[in-house]
Amino acid sequence: MLHLPKRIATIGSHSALQILKGAKDEGFETICICEKKKVKPYRMFPVADEIIEVDSFKDFLKIEKELIKRDAIVIPHGSFVEYLGVEKIKKLKVDHYGTKKILDWESDRGKQQKWLTRSKIKMPQIFKKPEEITKPVIVKFHGARGGRGYFLANSPEEFYKKIAQHPCERDYVIQEYVVGVPIYVHYFYSRLNDELEIMGFDKRYESNADSIGRVAAADQITANIQTSYTIVGNIPLVVRESMLPYFIKIGERVVAESQRMESPGLFGPFCLEGIVTQDLILTVFEISARIVAGTNPYTNGSPYTCLRYNEPMSTGRRIARDIKQAIERNQLEKVLG
Ligand code: ADP
C-alpha cells in the first residue's frame, strides 16, 4: 500500500466526523483540533487518530506550527471559515485543501452575485432599501449563522417594526422571499480529472419553519408565531431524475465562470443553495465553495455516489481521494491553495 506522507486535519465541528472518517478510509492518519468543551463526540466516534485540544478555535494559529510539523493538510468547512475568518485563512502557512482565493468571492455578496449572474444562475431579487419592499422578503444578517435571527416582512413598515428587535445589526440583506422547495445541491469538481460530479442533495430541517404546518393558520395568528430559520439538521433528498441534466449544467457553468474569474478557479466540493420553484428552476440564494453540512447524512455514500463508485463514497472521502490521487500523480499543488 502507498505510504501517505500527509495527515488530514480539520477542526471538530460542522462535518469533521465525515471528513476524518473519509480520510481514514483512504488510508490517511487524521488529526482533529477540538475545543475542550466540545471534544466528546470526537472521542465517542473514533475517526481521529490524534486530538489536539484548544481552549478556543481562535487559538488555531497557535497550533499551526504543530500541524506543519506533522505534515498535515487542513480541510476547511463552514465552521472553519466562521471561526477563523477569511483573512486569517488566507495567511495560513499550513497546507490547505482548496483554493483560498475563491473565499473572497464567496464571502463578498457583490462578488458572489457577479459570479452567479455571469454563470446565468437565477437569483432572488435584492431590495437595496427597505422602502423598496413591494413583496414578501426575507431579511438575512451577514455571516453564516445557520439562519438564526432571519425574519420575513411584507412591507417597509413591517421591516422597520421587526428590525427594531435587532438594534445591533447593521449588516443585512433584504431578499425576495422565493416560494418553492429549498434544495441544496452538493457538487464535487476535480481539477485532476477535469470532471464535475453530483454528490447528492439535501434539504434542511429548520426551527420553526418546518413545524409551522403543524399549527392551523388561525392558531398561528392568535399565538403570534413568527417564522424563523434556525438550522437543526439536514434531510437527505433525491430529485426527479429528469432534473439531473439541469443541475449538472448549472454546476458546470459555475465552475467554468470561477476559472474565468480567478485562476485556477473553484475545485473540490461546493454547493448551490436555493429554492426550486414550480417552473422547476433553482433560484440560488447562496453558493458555498466547500463541503456543506448537508452532505453529513451520506457518511456512507449517497444514492448518487453509489451509482458512480463501487464503495461507500462520502464527500469527505472524495476530498481524501482527490488528495491521494494528487500525491500519487505528484501533483499535490493542484489540490492545495
Ligand atoms: P445561512 O447561510 O445563514 O445558513 P441561508 O441563506 O442558507 O442561511 O438561509 C436559511 C434558510 O432560509 C434556508 O434554508 C431557506 O429555508 C430560507 N431562505 C433563505 N433565502 C430564502 C429566499 N430568498 N426565499 C425563501 N427562503 C429562503
Side-chain angles (χ1 to χ4, degrees), residues 62-93:
K62 290 192 200 152
I63 57 137
E64 194 186 8
K65 276 203 188 109
E66 280 303 309
L67 294 175
I68 294 172
K69 231 194 273 170
R70 286 167 170 74
D71 262 332
I73 298 178
V74 170
I75 313 293
H77 53 55
S79 300
F80 190 76
V81 177
E82 193 188 334
Y83 291 124
L84 262 75
V86 173
E87 288 315 310
K88 273 195 193 144
I89 294 179
K90 281 203 274 188
K91 288 193 191 118
L92 287 181
K93 292 191 185 67

Side-chain angles (χ1 to χ4, degrees), residues 250-274:
I250 58 175
E252 283 174 345
R253 281 202 224 128
V254 166
V255 172
E257 187 52 44
S258 77
Q259 291 166 345
R260 279 190 283 271
M261 255 162 43
E262 185 87 69
S263 168
L266 172 70
F267 59 85
F270 69 100
C271 177
L272 291 179
E273 313 178 350

Side-chain angles (χ1 to χ4, degrees), residues 124 138 140 143-148 150 175-179 182 184 204 206 229 231 273 275 285-286:
I138 179 165
K140 301 176 172 185
R145 45 170 92 176
R148 198 179 292 266
Y150 292 6
Q175 239 176 42
E176 165 194 4
Y177 185 84
V178 183
V179 179
Y184 291 63
R204 291 173 158 203
E206 293 165 334
Y229 295 87
I231 178 90
E273 313 178 350
I275 308 281
F285 50 74
E286 194 160 311

